[in-house]
Amino acid sequence: MSISIHWVRTTGPLISRIIAALFGGYAVAALASVAVLALPMSKPQAVLTGMLASFIVYACAVIWVFAVRSATKAWLGLLVVAAVLLPAAWSVW
């Protein structure tokens, strides 16, 4: 049984967005929660702030992935945010 080209063209971007929302959103939320530890505050307060902020970041990432016009822009947006958060998170690790 072969998969038609039309099915791949119509369903492929949706599957890509779902994967971006699940895994890309999780990665951005994890980076954001760790990057908060670089802020000048006590460790327990930073951990709590990072945990709470990660829920908002993840929800915003999922909304972003499905709000943009193409799956490519969704992935690029997630990569840009991850690239911005990576230096702050890396300094904590």
Side-chain angles (χ1 to χ4, degrees), residues 24-91:
Y26 178 80
V28 168
L31 283 172
S33 69
V34 172
V36 170
L37 292 172
L39 294 175
M41 61 175 61
S42 66
K43 286 282 187 194
Q45 187 67 34
V47 169
L48 184 62
T49 303
M51 286 173 46
L52 291 175
S54 70
F55 290 107
I56 295 169
V57 170
Y58 188 73
C60 289
V62 170
I63 291 169
W64 162 260
V65 165
F66 289 103
V68 295
R69 289 184 179 253
S70 70
T72 306
K73 286 184 181 180
W75 280 104
L76 285 175
L78 290 174
L79 286 173
V80 166
V81 173
V84 168
L85 291 172
L86 189 60
W90 191 263
S91 69

